Amino acid sequence: MRLPPAIIPHTEELLREVLRFTGPADVTLSRYFRDNPRLGSRERGVIAEAVYGLLRNKTVLTNFAESGIGPMMRRLALLGLADAVGAESIAGLQEGEAEWLERVAQIDRTQLAPQMRSNLPPWLWDKLVARMGEAATLELADAMNRPAPLDLRVNTIKSDRDTVIAELAKAPVACEPTPYSPLGLRVFKKPALQNIPVFKEGAIEVQDEGSQLLAQIVGAKRGEMVVDFCAGAGGKTLALGALMRNTGRLYAFDVSEKRLAKLKPRLARSGLSNVHPVVIAHENDAKVKRLAGKLDRVLVDAPCSGLGTLRRNPDMKWRQSVETLGEMRAKQGSILASAARLVRPGGRLVYGTCSILEEENDEVIADFLQSHPDFILRPMSEVLAEQKIALDMGDYLKLLPHLHQTDGFFAAVLERRAA
Ligand SMILES: C[S@@+](CC[C@H](N)C(=O)[O-])C[C@H]1O[C@@H](n2cnc3c(N)ncnc32)[C@H](O)[C@@H]1O
């Protein structure tokens, strides 16, 4: 079925805003749809797919757009829409546009130069190729250019994985257990979860399998004192609280009151009562210092470039640069150093990011270990064995979309030497 012609100017206008990269694309999209309430759900879906497709394949599509006619933003909108729904579904094309889209559709994209095909910015392409070679970088880029499946985590305070699979089947939602996380389910079609009883009852939460694993390797146990230092909207906090069986004390710190506020309704659904959200002004806040040396486990899910989450946030690759990475790294080091003071002798500090870059990962840990001789690295292979997670890793957890079908994640487990 053909789409209404107004889809083209709407996509064009939205792209104009999104491609300024002044804020996250998903925020710009939500605002645009709020401001244009007459757009139906099908139209919104198509426009979003076109915009996200354009962000994913910007290098290739910008190159194709050069051969077209008419204003550049319209050409980009048409290419995004043609990739999303096929040129034959677009109504309101002007003279020559259908033929041009037909010519573009004939191009064999696998024959394009590797860097163009990767749709990565040159600085990122160069960095990844230097580390992993061209073939692996292309595989990684291809995997990051495909939308992520929907992963769920079963909340063991409320249910278990088998029960949830059976309950979802009634909805009906087909899913399968995730390969590595013992609590994960992968759903291939994206249902409206809000109306499904197991979601309303708090038995499931949306969480990428990689993110579930990061919470799992913290190894938080019943009755412990734990801090989630960068809790945000609480994805990992909720997983940690359940792993602690709703006992002990789990502090959820964040500098963003807005993000922590989003944790509240999730907490209410989860049935957890061991979580204490605390807004801090910065990583050296007095509220942090008061807990020095008292914690069994501290998780630092650090603010990062987000380059491991390109499947969901393809705009990140265009919003980051070598300069923003440098700023991020300084912040990460400072947060990790402050969080380390909370850990009791023998306690553990877990550092994680959703970045695939060594600058934000291995290098932050190397710097930390050099300046903190009272901490040692616990090899990830050992930590995973403790948690009975069948993943083959060395010193660190390094999850990659093309190898593990998760977002890109990094994690290191550090232990404070016993006094
Ligand atoms: C990767 S996100 C956390 C995601 C969250 N843990 C989850 O699983 O949903 C990083 C968080 O760090 C917070 N942050 C930034 N600077 C911080 C600081 N100095 N101290 C504590 N949190 C900080 C940000 O507000 C953001 O919510």
Side-chain angles (χ1 to χ4, degrees), residues 133-207:
E134 204 171 275
T137 303
L138 268 177
E139 273 183 55
L140 172 62
D142 277 353
M144 291 202 294
N145 245 355
R146 284 193 288 274
L150 177 68
D151 287 354
L152 306 174
R153 178 183 55 80
V154 174
N155 176 10
T156 50
I157 299 297
K158 296 269 173 115
S159 192
D160 58 69
R161 194 152 70 166
D162 289 340
T163 309
V164 169
I165 292 175
E167 288 299 316
L168 284 176
K170 291 183 199 159
V173 174
C175 61
E176 59 185 45
T178 47
Y180 311 114
S181 165
L183 302 176
L185 290 172
R186 186 152 294 157
V187 181
F188 289 95
K189 288 205 182 119
K190 296 190 178 163
L193 289 175
Q194 290 79 350
N195 306 323
I196 295 177
V198 272
F199 182 80
K200 288 200 266 191
E201 290 153 13
I204 49 171
E205 263 295 329
V206 173
Q207 190 173 34

Side-chain angles (χ1 to χ4, degrees), residues 21-334:
F21 297 117
T22 48
D26 57 347
V27 174
T28 308
L29 254 79
S30 304
R31 195 180 48 234
Y32 189 84
F33 291 147
R34 228 181 13 254
D35 293 348
N36 292 273
R38 294 175 75 180
L39 280 167
S41 70
R42 175 161 180 253
E43 283 105 50
R44 284 203 302 268
V46 169
I47 294 171
E49 207 182 323
V51 169
Y52 269 74
L54 205 282
L55 289 168
R56 292 196 167 98
N57 301 304
K58 185 160 93 63
T59 314
V60 166
L61 297 184
T62 306
N63 181 270
F64 290 173
E66 277 163 23
S67 68
I69 44 173
M72 181 52 93
M73 210 48 81
R74 182 175 170 94
R75 296 185 220 175
L76 291 173
L78 293 180
L79 288 167
L81 287 167
D83 268 7
V85 289
E88 63 290 349
S89 302
I90 313 173
L93 291 178
Q94 291 168 5
E95 203 187 327
E97 287 178 333
E99 295 73 22
W100 170 61
L101 287 175
E102 177 60 33
R103 278 199 308 280
V104 168
Q106 302 303 320
I107 300 170
D108 178 358
R109 299 187 189 187
T110 63
Q111 298 306 310
L112 298 172
Q115 193 249 307
M116 182 178 293
R117 219 175 98 198
S118 77
N119 283 292
L120 294 173
W123 68 269
L124 183 54
W125 166 260
D126 289 345
K127 243 181 218 307
L128 293 172
V129 169
R131 197 179 90 211
M132 45 200 295
E134 204 171 275
T137 303
L138 268 177
E139 273 183 55
L140 172 62
D142 277 353
M144 291 202 294
N145 245 355
R146 284 193 288 274
L150 177 68
D151 287 354
L152 306 174
R153 178 183 55 80
V154 174
N155 176 10
T156 50
I157 299 297
K158 296 269 173 115
S159 192
D160 58 69
R161 194 152 70 166
D162 289 340
T163 309
V164 169
I165 292 175
E167 288 299 316
L168 284 176
K170 291 183 199 159
V173 174
C175 61
E176 59 185 45
T178 47
Y180 311 114
S181 165
L183 302 176
L185 290 172
R186 186 152 294 157
V187 181
F188 289 95
K189 288 205 182 119
K190 296 190 178 163
L193 289 175
Q194 290 79 350
N195 306 323
I196 295 177
V198 272
F199 182 80
K200 288 200 266 191
E201 290 153 13
I204 49 171
E205 263 295 329
V206 173
Q207 190 173 34
D208 183 77
E209 186 184 22
S211 183
Q212 296 181 33
L213 290 171
L214 220 150
Q216 198 89 29
I217 58 154
V218 174
K221 296 197 186 78
R222 277 175 182 278
E224 287 189 335
M225 288 266 285
V226 179
V227 163
D228 184 358
F229 207 95
C230 305
K236 295 178 192 69
T237 314
L238 296 173
L240 289 170
L243 289 165
M244 293 161 71
R245 304 298 310 156
N246 202 12
T247 65
R249 217 173 162 77
L250 170 56
Y251 293 96
F253 289 171
D254 205 286
V255 289
S256 164
E257 195 170 354
K258 212 165 132 193
R259 290 206 180 103
L260 270 187
K262 291 191 183 146
L263 166 61
K264 300 258 164 77
R266 298 175 84 188
L267 255 186
R269 271 189 335 105
S270 74
L272 293 172
S273 53
N274 59 344
V275 178
H276 304 268
V278 182
V279 181
I280 55 171
H282 46 75
E283 60 272 24
N284 293 309
D285 192 310
K287 291 178 202 155
V288 177
K289 290 186 180 158
R290 243 176 266 143
L291 292 169
K294 295 196 172 137
L295 274 293
D296 297 295
R297 307 192 188 241
V298 177
L299 169 63
V300 174
D301 185 21
C304 70
S305 65
L307 289 168
T309 66
L310 294 182
R311 300 186 306 171
R312 299 164 209 285
N313 308 306
D315 51 323
M316 294 309 280
K317 63 185 169 186
W318 309 115
R319 295 177 56 216
Q320 299 296 353
S321 63
V322 175
E323 290 72 42
T324 56
L325 275 189
E327 291 161 20
M328 213 63 98
R329 180 178 169 159
K331 192 71 194 165
Q332 289 154 348
S334 168

